[in-house]
Amino acid sequence: MAYKDIYDGWKADPEAFWMQAAEEVHWYKKPSKALFDENAPIYEWFSDGLTNTCYNAVDRHVEAGRGDEIAIMHESPITHATKGITYKELQARVSSLAGALKMRGVEKGDRVIIYMPMIPEALEAMLACARIGAVHSVVFGGFAAHELAVRIDDCTPKAIIAASCGLEPNRVVHYKPLLDKAIDMAEHKPEFCVIFQREQEVAKLIDGRDFSWHGFQYGVKPADCVPVEGNHPAYILYTSGTTGQPKGVVRATGGHLVALNWTMKNIYNIEAGDRFWAASDVGWVVGHSYICYGPLIKGAQTIVFEGKPIGTPHAGVFWRIIQNQRVKSFFTAPTALRAIKREDPNGDWIKRYKLHDLQAIFLAGERADPDTIKWAQEKFGVPVIDHWWQTETGWAIAANPLGIEELPVKIGSPSVAMPGYEIEILDEAGHPVKDGDLGAIAIKLPLPPGTLQNLWNAEERYKKSYLTTFPGYYETGDAGIKDADGYVYIMARTDDVINVAGHRLSTGAMEEVLSNHPDVAECAVIGVADQLKGQSPLGFLCLNSGCTKDHATIVKEVVTAVRNEIGPVAAFKLACVVDRLPKTRSGKILRGTMVKIADNQPYKMPATIDDPAILDEIKLALQGLGYAKG
């Protein structure tokens, strides 16, 4: 069948489409229907079915006689380790950890925070929670203590599973002190912590609260899978909100299973036994969907990679792993390819490896610039597929579905809507615009299975953030256009979340940190174009009058503050002192105009500007930092 037939088939009868997709996963009790819309605009899928994610991802493959096949390959160029875990071994390890959690009182519905680096134990912790119906919330390993504390208070975990440390190319990241500090800061205290001690750093355990990973499991009865309802939360994953308060995206179990299983074959062309690698991190949505759950639900082999695209040890490390593990589909962020391209423009490292099994490269996480896609197409000679999705959706909104048919690639577009998603481009009044016109990208409700069901303990905020701007639609927060063939082009965020190396970060959260500095009266943070990272944050500081402190010192202090409060992932290094900020008469800072000046793009003088002369002052300040050169 062609893509168009499948998409039209979904549109004609969404209920039949998703019930058929649900046949491919295991249910203890089959759902009576797909869509539950009694509480619209809060929609649920497969709510009255009973299933278990861990059973679908692990046990059923063992029972089907595939227990000796590799489930997880761990590749750590930092520790020089390569290690495989079979489905049978994974089942034993996960049921042991689940049994220990159960013995300590973790039950169905309890939350568990996971704070770990890229090691197989991170996936084992996720699966162990799923096995007993506990709701995990993975927090990116090494995230600042303050950020971790906010998440502890929001989801009130019974337990936290962490590692003693994470490893960067030339340093050890001490997780345990960050964890201890976060628990001190948080009002809610977990009952206990489980610490996986790595040989690179053995952490000090707090008596009575902390257990070592292996000791914790000693002599424990392994746990069986607990059947849970289709609408039972599988996990909570926090995404940066523009208010600085994180939003806990809730993913429901049934829809998550059905949707991810569908995507593995139809989008990525991966079947049971194939080898799939998503070079991301378990802390992000890609890690949840396509390092842990998607490949394992399908019965494929997944790769857990602890390293960087360059410097661990060289710009060929991705290709070495793809060769050695005979990877069929590879998924990474445009940032990673840009970093490699910068180090190895001629592709000399690529030529060293035999990439016989590689059939496609998938990109997501930010807009893929045409330059990088053309470079990759030329160097690899396989389809380079940009696709678009969000933490909230959990899987691709728009993609080129290689497992159905390979559609023509249009550079700059993540291709077409996947079944379940009806994409509309709307004007400010909520009316569809004509093909080729820029507007807000919205998706007709209901969203498909596997997308967010709600925000954790914040239903009103969920409705306000996503469902109220355009009644009957989910607001993506992205702006873009659609062409006559239905190809979507994502042009910009409609709010001020910036994308630094695939990490979505709120400039609002950074502004909060800057404005906490005693000498800063007012500030703004914008995302400026960065060849390597896609965007990097740049701060403008207006100082309190009478402040005589050296400007360079203040800049240094705010840079340190952002690093401490938000973490190194923010990559906040540049700020300048200005006399005033450009604003509208109602007091809104004209961030969009400042970005255009910085990136040398043409801009119209905003009609509502208070004092046009300020834009020249901003341009001068930017030139001092090496921007706005045009």
Side-chain angles (χ1 to χ4, degrees), residues 597 603 605 611-623:
I597 295 171
Y603 65 93
M605 179 72 66
D611 180 356
I614 302 178
L615 294 180
D616 293 325
E617 298 166 20
I618 293 295
K619 187 170 184 176
L620 267 174
L622 283 164
Q623 286 172 340

Side-chain angles (χ1 to χ4, degrees), residues 108 166 181 190 194 259 324 357 389 407 417 422 436 468 476 507 551 564 574 622:
K108 178 187 164 191
K181 191 174 165 192
V194 183
N324 293 354
D357 294 86
W389 47 298
L407 300 171
E422 195 174 331
T468 49
T476 65
T507 53
H551 291 182
N564 291 340
L574 284 181
L622 283 164

